[in-house]
């Protein structure tokens, strides 16, 4: 066995892979949230739909997103594998157990599995539809001089291969953009209370996974220091386990209650 | 006091065991938990019954032998003490106390509450030492050691190898023990020559023994009778990953 495989398959190396992929996914949580904040703009989906085109066509981002999908799958199955192996380290259990550790830290695999189910539903709700189904289109006519944007829903049955068609009408001083209307799909999906509940509850799983996971990854990397560890723990709790899940949960709630 | 016990009875490593119920009368609140077992065993012997096998040696919290998982916690409910230092005044008259052996694939039960912890010995033998060549001992003051480092090394060296960390961990991981043993030497000048090989070999032996991987739940440090801290596990991760990258062995 080469030194590298030996390192990465040791108990500490296995955890190193969990920590590195986990932290990569943490950055994804931030980027995805910031991008999706455009859903809150009251512009008929103009910003959000253009952002969706950018995210699915710009080559570098496409590469990163496929890396991201691969790492989620790797993190999930590697984590479940470690959990399975760890269970074998105690073939006979205790009759009585009084736990002195935090409940989320003991249930990372359960929380992760909820996240995996959530991700499957989420991808088929939006990602799959966006790429594979005949979506409604929307036309934005921008008055170049004033910047005013007029939104026109396209007739149903408008099918086109392209995600985005741009044209310029110099005589009228307008620019029109026709894009797949993912915004309406999102807005429509979140009229279903069951889906809204599922999304909001899944964000609790994100919160709990992060409550333990963020600081745990730094401990795995060996980055523990009396000066900086409190800061890392604070960020893990307040940013990753509170702020970010609230931000995500706000989206379905916004569409259900306000749109 | 009267204490009701449910104790794990198991004939040997090959058979499976079960919890047996015992009643112990006339327990003094000042007895240690082990003395309460002595009283029970004497009674059992007088009644021509099999006494309960349990491990002990120093009975003063330094040898690490008295492994008992008491009411769901290694060494019982108190913090920072071993079973031999646990007194019956911690419990109430009439309490039912469940006592089980350490549970880990790497610590097979030998009999009743006695487990085989020689996996720890093999881990120590794989690198938990400093090789000293013969010759005169040099003057201690010629090896300057900062007070902060000395204190950290001393705190890590307090580990008595009792295995409570393994018993408490949901993964039966030995990381706290190994991290204490690696840290106490990595922090001191005497430990430097074998620093890389020590971390690599002790982790390899720990994995070979069948302990689980650490998931940073912190149960070990919370239950450790010597209050070894999780910082040591972070240090072991650094030592091991650093040595993996920089050691010259391919
Ligand atoms: C957005 C998604 C996710 C993020 C940001 C994330 C992040 C993290 C982080 C930072 C850790 C801590 C690593 C460490 O302790 O060193 C972790 C651990 C873990 N994750 Fe995730 N994770 C995500 C999704 C998932 C999924 C879908 C699963 C599926 C089963 C999963 C299963 C686990 C498990 C089992 C652990 C504990 C592993 C261990 O401690 O050995 N995670 N995650
Ligand atoms: S680290 Fe603590 S619990 Fe583990 S063997 Fe050492 S003294 Fe016992
Ligand atoms: S008998 Fe030695 S520590 Fe308890």
């Amino acid at each position: 066995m080469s030194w590298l495989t030996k390192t990465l398959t040791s108990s500490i190396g296995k955890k190193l892979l969990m920590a590195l992929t986990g932290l990569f996914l943490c950055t994804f949580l931030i980027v995805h949230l910031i991008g999706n904040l455009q859903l809150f703009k009251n512009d008929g989906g103009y910003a959000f739909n253009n952002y969706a085109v950018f995210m699915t066509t710009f080559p570098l981002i496409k590469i990163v997103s496929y890396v991201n999908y691969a790492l989620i799958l790797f993190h999930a199955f590697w984590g479940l594998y470690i959990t399975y192996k760890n269970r074998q380290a105690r073939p006979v259990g205790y009759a009585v157990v009084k736990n002195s550790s935090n409940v989320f830290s003991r249930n990372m695999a359960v929380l992760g599995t909820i996240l995996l189910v959530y991700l499957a539903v989420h991808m088929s709700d939006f990602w799959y539809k966006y790429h594979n189904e005949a979506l409604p289109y929307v036309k934005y006519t921008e008055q170049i001089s004033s910047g005013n944007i007029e939104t026109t829903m396209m007739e149903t049955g408008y099918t086109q291969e392209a995600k985005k068609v741009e044209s310029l009408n110099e005589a009228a001083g307008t620019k029109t953009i026709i894009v797949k209307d993912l915004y309406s799909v999102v807005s429509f999906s979140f009229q279903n209370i069951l889906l809204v509940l599922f999304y909001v509850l899944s964000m609790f799983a994100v919160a709990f996974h992060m409550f333990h996971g963020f600081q745990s990854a730094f401990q795995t990397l060996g980055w523990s220091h009396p000066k900086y560890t409190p800061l890392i723990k604070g960020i893990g709790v307040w940013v990753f386990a509170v702020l970010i899940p609230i931000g995500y949960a706000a989206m379905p709630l916004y569409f259900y209650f306000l749109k | 006091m009267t204490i009701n016990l449910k104790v794990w009875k198991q004939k040997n490593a090959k058979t499976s065991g079960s919890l047996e119920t015992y009643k112990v009368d006339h327990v003094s609140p000042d007895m240690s938990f082990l003395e309460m077992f002595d009283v029970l065993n004497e009674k059992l012997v007088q009644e021509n019954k099999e006494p309960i096998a349990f491990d002990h040696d120093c009975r003063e919290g330094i040898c690490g032998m008295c492994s008992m998982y008491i009411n769901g916690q290694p060494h019982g409910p108190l913090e920072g003490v071993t079973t031999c230092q646990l007194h019956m005044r911690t419990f109430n008259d009439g309490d039912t106390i469940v006592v089980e052996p350490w549970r880990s694939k790497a610590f097979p039960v030998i009999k009743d509450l006695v487990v085989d912890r020689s996996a720890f010995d093999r881990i120590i033998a794989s690198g938990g030492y400093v090789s000293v060549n013969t010759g005169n001992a040099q003057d201690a003051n010629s090896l300057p050691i900062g007070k902060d480092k000395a204190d950290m090394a001393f705190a890590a060296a307090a580990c008595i190898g009792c295995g409570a960390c393994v018993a408490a961990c949901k993964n039966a991981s030995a990381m706290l023990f190994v991290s204490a043993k690696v840290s106490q030497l990595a922090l001191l000048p005497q430990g430097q020559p074998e620093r890389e090989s020590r971390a690599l070999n002790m982790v390899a032996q720990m994995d070979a023994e069948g302990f689980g991987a650490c998931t940073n739940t912190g149960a070990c440090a919370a239950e450790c009778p010597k209050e070894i801290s999780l910082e040591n596990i972070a240090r072991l991760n650094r030592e091991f990953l650093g040595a993996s990258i920089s050691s010259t062995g391919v």
Side-chain angles (χ1 to χ4, degrees):
Chain A
M1 238 190 322
S2 87
W3 69 271
L4 192 60
T5 26
K6 214 157 110 188
T7 304
L8 295 180
T9 54
S10 69
S11 57
I12 296 178
K14 280 187 197 140
K15 279 295 312 256
L16 173 72
L17 295 177
M18 282 310 281
L20 292 177
T21 51
L23 285 180
F24 178 86
L25 296 180
C26 287
T27 62
F28 152 76
L29 283 184
I30 298 179
V31 174
H32 191 53
L33 178 67
I34 291 176
N36 285 3
L37 286 180
Q38 326 230 27
L39 282 170
F40 294 121
K41 281 193 183 163
N42 210 354
D43 60 357
Y46 178 80
F48 180 75
N49 283 332
N50 278 301
Y51 164 71
V53 172
F54 172 73
M55 291 304 280
T56 49
T57 49
F58 190 70
L60 190 65
I61 299 221
K62 267 180 107 163
I63 294 171
V64 174
S65 68
Y66 280 99
V67 169
N68 188 35
Y69 303 147
L71 289 185
I72 289 181
L73 288 177
F74 178 84
H75 178 88
F77 288 103
W78 196 239
L80 292 176
Y81 168 71
I82 295 176
T83 308
Y84 168 74
K85 292 298 266 183
N86 281 349
R87 289 195 156 204
Q88 294 182 327
R90 173 163 297 139
V92 182
Y94 293 107
V96 181
V97 177
K98 189 160 176 286
N99 283 305
S100 47
S101 57
N102 151 305
V103 56
F104 309 129
S105 74
R106 279 181 271 120
N107 292 291
M108 291 297 276
V110 176
L111 294 167
T113 306
I114 298 173
L115 288 182
L116 199 60
V117 172
Y118 165 77
L119 286 170
V121 173
H122 180 53
M123 294 286 279
S124 70
D125 274 348
F126 302 124
W127 183 87
Y128 183 82
K129 280 190 188 153
Y130 190 70
H131 287 268
N132 298 294
E133 284 185 8
L135 251 53
Y137 276 76
V138 59
K139 180 162 91 181
Y140 299 109
T141 314
E142 184 182 346
Q143 204 70 43
I144 292 169
S145 53
S146 65
N148 275 350
I149 299 167
E150 189 191 315
T151 308
T152 330
M153 295 293 180
M154 301 297 286
E155 311 256 310
T156 45
Y158 180 91
T159 47
Q160 226 184 3
E161 283 306 299
K163 286 173 180 147
K164 177 171 178 172
V165 183
E166 272 187 272
S167 58
L168 197 65
N169 184 339
E170 277 182 42
T174 57
K175 196 170 86 174
T176 54
I177 298 174
I178 299 175
V179 283
K180 279 191 172 183
D181 195 4
L182 188 62
Y183 180 83
S184 297
V185 174
V186 172
S187 175
F188 179 74
S189 299
F190 289 147
Q191 301 311 313
N192 177 350
I193 184 68
L194 290 178
L195 194 72
V196 171
L197 273 179
F198 175 67
Y199 269 66
V200 172
L201 289 179
S202 299
M203 290 312 113
F204 279 95
V206 172
F208 299 153
H209 202 76
M210 287 294 93
F211 184 88
H212 173 69
F214 188 73
Q215 56 82 31
S216 172
F218 287 87
Q219 169 83 358
T220 301
L221 294 171
W223 293 351
S224 168
H225 193 284
K227 280 190 189 134
Y228 313 111
T229 301
L231 181 68
I232 289 169
K233 289 192 172 165
I235 292 176
V237 172
W238 294 108
V239 178
F240 283 91
V242 175
L243 210 59
I244 290 184
I246 288 180
Y248 280 117
M251 292 166 196
L253 294 173
Y254 168 77
F255 283 102
Y256 186 76
F257 288 108
L258 299 175
K259 281 273 147 180
Chain B
M1 302 166 78
T2 299
I3 296 290
N4 300 301
L5 286 178
K6 284 190 177 171
V7 183
W8 186 261
K9 285 289 288 175
Q10 179 172 338
K11 205 166 164 31
N12 56 44
K14 300 221 169 57
T15 54
S16 61
S18 61
L19 286 173
E20 302 280 322
T21 310
Y22 300 89
K23 192 169 168 192
V24 200
D25 292 316
H26 311 299
V27 175
S28 151
D30 296 329
M31 279 179 185
S32 77
F33 204 78
L34 297 186
E35 284 162 346
M36 186 262 300
F37 264 81
D38 293 337
V39 168
L40 171 61
N41 274 349
E42 253 169 56
K43 188 176 121 198
L44 290 173
V45 169
Q46 276 166 10
E47 292 170 357
N48 248 336
K49 291 189 188 142
E50 258 239 336
I52 299 161
F54 66 94
D55 251 336
H56 61 105
D57 187 17
C58 73
R59 297 208 174 196
E60 57 181 9
I62 52 171
C63 75
M65 289 300 286
C66 50
S67 49
M68 287 192 191
Y69 197 82
I70 302 164
N71 278 346
Q73 285 178 291
H75 298 300
L78 293 189
E79 271 179 32
V81 296
T82 51
T83 302
C84 56
Q85 300 170 299
L86 177 68
H87 291 90
M88 295 315 293
R89 53 180 168 268
T90 316
F91 300 92
N92 297 316
D93 191 18
D95 273 3
T96 297
I97 306 173
V98 181
V99 189
E100 299 173 77
W102 286 178
R103 296 291 189 197
S104 158
K105 191 168 120 195
F107 290 162
V109 173
I110 298 172
K111 188 176 169 59
D112 301 346
L113 300 172
V114 181
V115 298
D116 179 357
R117 286 180 297 125
S118 42
F120 270 12
D121 299 339
R122 289 188 291 272
I123 294 175
I124 294 292
S126 72
Y129 51 79
V130 170
S131 302
V132 182
N133 298 319
T134 49
N136 288 338
Q138 63 176 318
D139 184 75
N141 289 330
S142 65
L143 274 181
I145 302 170
K147 172 89 168 90
D148 54 339
K149 289 274 157 52
D151 285 349
M152 283 194 273
F154 190 80
C159 167
I160 54 176
C162 66
C165 42
V166 176
C169 174
K170 85 178 202 350
N171 311 310
S173 166
M175 282 287 277
L176 194 65
F177 165 75
V178 176
S179 73
K181 297 301 172 196
V182 165
S183 288
Q184 65 181 9
L185 299 175
L187 285 161
L188 297 179
Q190 292 91 335
Q192 299 314 304
E194 289 151 318
R195 186 169 166 179
E196 290 182 337
S197 61
R198 175 180 307 115
L200 294 174
N201 294 341
M202 289 181 80
V203 169
Q205 189 62 36
M206 168 181 85
D207 290 351
E209 297 290 351
F211 294 105
C214 173
T215 59
N216 303 328
T217 68
C220 52
E223 296 293 355
C224 170
K226 298 296 148 186
E227 303 180 323
I228 302 294
S229 93
L230 291 178
E231 302 251 311
N232 291 297
I233 294 189
R235 183 178 300 103
L236 173 59
N237 290 338
R238 285 200 295 278
E239 292 289 321
F240 175 79
L241 293 171
S244 297
I245 292 169
S246 66
S247 68
T248 47
V250 180

